[in-house]
Amino acid sequence: MKRREFLQKGIPAAALLPAVINGYSVKAFGAESPLVQALMQGITDTDHVLVIIQLAGGNDGLNTVIPISTYSNYYNARTNVAIPQNRILSLGSSGAGLHPSMTGLHNMFGNGMLKVIQAVGYPQPNFSHFRATDIWMSASNSNQEVFSGWAGRYLNYEYPNFPTGYPNTNSPDPLAIQIGSTTTLTSQGPVVNMAMSITNPTSFYNLLNGTTDPVPNTPAGKELQFIRIVSQQTQQYSTVIRNAANAVTQQVTYPTNNSLGDQLKIVARLIKGGLKTRVYMVSTGGYDTHSVQANTDTTTGAHATLLQRLSDAIKAFQDDLQFLQVQDRVIGMTYSEFGRRIKSNSSVGTDHGAAAPMFLFGSKIENGVLGNNPAIPTNATVNDNVPMQYDFRSIYSTILEKWFCLDKTVVDGLFPPNINAQLQSLPLFKSGLTCNAVAPPPAPVSDRVIYNYPNPFTDYTDIFFKTEGGHTLIQIMDTLGRVISNLLEKDYTTATSDKIRFNSEGLPTGIYYARLQNGVTQQVWPMLKVR
């Protein structure tokens, strides 16, 4: 059989193919199942959005947020790249300031929408780009290997059993979207990656316009074109992406020749267009500045250009969110896999280091500088690093608890056990921040005939249910679909509401499902057991 005939006959219209709407890397998943229909809606009712910006390469934190209060030690440690004191953009009374190219972020600080967190890192830092990136994305310790991402574990809690049955009526939108490259470890769940990828802005606009990149006029090219057509037919998310994007016809002007700005412009458009996607991830590279980091005029050069593009892109994005009137739903966060050493090298650059500052931004972010200027020795050596003040996982956990409204016990369950005691709740958000946090569910209504409280729970939880009378069965199942227990099997003479206690002693932590069967009615409810 010829290859083209094999492709045409061997790949059904409902094939589960990854990619390939000309670079639009999306995973399409299969048909819905009645059993998992009840699991489709996010457990926590919130419309909040997090945008994660990765600065790949290891950003030089000391030339990003500059210690004015200890300027002489800073200057002596890196005379060939140090920023002149009179050019630093002051951050109020904090004793710190921004690189002079970061006028956009400085403006946002003045308008109360920027949080600078000093010296963020983790114990026993790793200086390998690949390993350090994995640590930040997985929220693991440096001596642990964790194969899921912190955002992926969060989304797996909110949308259990993904990808089976997704998208669906209750959850028609992608759970997370990565723009640039492929989906990363950040969004990797315990079983599958919880995100879809848009490989580049061009492929996004090709999707909207219904155009594709040309294929070569060869037999292999025709096969590629056929695969793309099949993939596009099976792409269940493409319609909602297109509809959301087409709902927005006007945005503010973004900076030109700025790839990060191009990515953030797409994010703003999709948020305003109505996607319920909770996490967006974008990235920009070039921060591995071992040499020629700065010109003779140290306020210019490679690093200055990177910081200006970062600052300009974020400022345009925030302006766009306000123009589109969705600014109160969105916060952003930057991170890089590590900082750089205190002392510069002889190549007018800086080498791999430890802790570095992070930025959080948005209308709901508490403005200011958290932490002190890094301690810089009087006679710094090439081995000296910025010591950690804040563990990066405390920032993650605070966002999950305060922004995404998860109960603290749930948050603790999303991180490796030996990290929980070290996590701090940090002042990142303005007072009065409200959202629909995890709370006791309301009494059963027509579309909710079973639920439990408390949820999450430790040793036991009460399962509330409504029966229309007759034979009523409540089963407890695990994530493999196995029935652990027939918790209740009873004949009721009349319609009533009742409850029964589920004792989970001896069962491991994780997600369980309570299933009610009553006549023709059946419903499944997710429950989380924590430590």
Side-chain angles (χ1 to χ4, degrees), residues 400-447:
L400 290 171
E401 181 181 0
K402 304 299 184 183
W403 184 245
F404 284 125
C405 314
L406 294 188
D407 187 272
K408 183 66 165 60
T409 56
V410 176
V411 174
D412 288 346
L414 298 177
F415 293 88
N418 57 341
I419 294 175
N420 297 336
Q422 307 168 24
L423 300 180
Q424 299 171 273
S425 183
L426 300 176
L428 304 181
F429 299 98
K430 291 178 179 176
S431 60
L433 176 69
T434 60
C435 61
N436 298 317
V438 174
V445 293
S446 59
D447 62 346

Side-chain angles (χ1 to χ4, degrees), residues 1 32 34 37 63 150 170 185 224 258 262 267 274 300 316 318 321 325 369 372 398 405 464:
M1 181 184 292
E32 300 175 21
Q37 294 266 341
N63 266 25
W150 72 278
N170 290 327
L185 180 62
L224 174 59
N258 188 316
D262 294 340
V267 172
T300 65
Q318 188 63 41
L321 294 177
Q325 299 182 331
V369 178
N372 303 316
T398 301
C405 314
F464 299 79

Side-chain angles (χ1 to χ4, degrees), residues 145-463:
E145 285 196 46
V146 176
F147 300 102
S148 61
W150 72 278
R153 295 192 295 273
Y154 157 64
L155 291 169
N156 181 73
Y157 165 75
E158 292 285 4
Y159 301 92
N161 214 44
F162 182 88
T164 303
Y166 293 82
N168 58 78
T169 303
N170 290 327
S171 298
D173 306 332
L175 309 186
I177 292 177
Q178 165 93 37
I179 301 179
S181 186
T182 57
T183 46
T184 65
L185 180 62
T186 301
S187 56
Q188 176 65 41
V191 179
V192 298
N193 204 295
M194 310 296 286
M196 56 165 283
S197 293
I198 301 171
T199 58
N200 56 62
T202 299
S203 58
F204 169 77
Y205 294 108
N206 283 346
L207 174 71
L208 300 188
N209 297 328
T211 60
T212 58
D213 291 335
V215 297
N217 187 23
T218 64
K222 292 177 182 178
E223 292 161 4
L224 174 59
Q225 186 176 36
F226 175 76
I227 292 174
R228 286 179 175 173
I229 292 171
V230 172
S231 180
Q232 191 165 12
Q233 289 172 340
T234 62
Q235 179 45 255
Q236 300 181 63
Y237 284 133
S238 62
T239 300
V240 294
I241 291 282
R242 190 180 293 111
N243 290 343
N246 288 336
V248 178
T249 58
Q250 189 175 0
Q251 294 180 262
V252 304
T253 301
Y254 280 72
T256 58
N257 299 318
N258 188 316
S259 63
L260 180 60
D262 294 340
Q263 296 174 60
L264 291 174
K265 185 176 182 179
I266 292 173
V267 172
R269 187 171 176 179
L270 295 179
I271 293 171
K272 174 61 178 178
L275 285 191
K276 297 177 182 178
T277 301
R278 296 193 180 187
V279 180
Y280 291 84
M281 293 162 287
V282 298
S283 62
T284 179
Y287 286 86
D288 195 18
T289 52
H290 285 284
S291 62
V292 197
Q293 176 174 318
N295 297 330
T296 302
D297 174 2
T298 54
T299 65
T300 65
H303 192 235
T305 299
L306 290 169
L307 294 181
Q308 180 179 351
R309 289 174 178 167
L310 171 69
S311 175
D312 290 351
I314 292 176
K315 177 60 165 60
F317 178 63
Q318 188 63 41
D319 288 346
D320 202 12
L321 294 177
Q322 291 181 259
F323 172 76
L324 298 171
Q325 299 182 331
V326 293
Q327 70 274 16
D328 290 345
R329 293 180 47 219
V330 185
I331 64 167
M333 177 189 81
T334 69
Y335 82 94
S336 195
E337 64 262 37
F338 45 64
R340 318 295 288 188
R341 299 292 171 92
I342 293 175
K343 187 175 180 61
S344 58
N345 60 37
S346 58
S347 299
V348 195
T350 48
D351 297 322
H352 295 186
M358 288 178 64
F359 296 117
L360 268 71
F361 61 89
S363 63
K364 295 299 183 180
I365 293 295
E366 181 185 84
N367 199 63
V369 178
L370 182 62
N372 303 316
N373 280 325
I376 299 178
T378 303
N379 297 304
T381 71
V382 292
N383 295 318
D384 286 328
N385 269 300
V386 172
M388 177 192 77
Q389 293 182 47
Y390 297 99
D391 192 308
F392 74 97
R393 293 158 295 196
S394 290
I395 298 165
Y396 291 175
S397 64
T398 301
I399 290 172
L400 290 171
E401 181 181 0
K402 304 299 184 183
W403 184 245
F404 284 125
C405 314
L406 294 188
D407 187 272
K408 183 66 165 60
T409 56
V410 176
V411 174
D412 288 346
L414 298 177
F415 293 88
N418 57 341
I419 294 175
N420 297 336
Q422 307 168 24
L423 300 180
Q424 299 171 273
S425 183
L426 300 176
L428 304 181
F429 299 98
K430 291 178 179 176
S431 60
L433 176 69
T434 60
C435 61
N436 298 317
V438 174
V445 293
S446 59
D447 62 346
R448 179 183 289 140
V449 296
I450 187 168
Y451 66 96
N452 74 301
Y453 181 77
N455 192 18
F457 63 95
T458 51
D459 296 325
Y460 65 87
T461 184
D462 289 325
I463 297 176

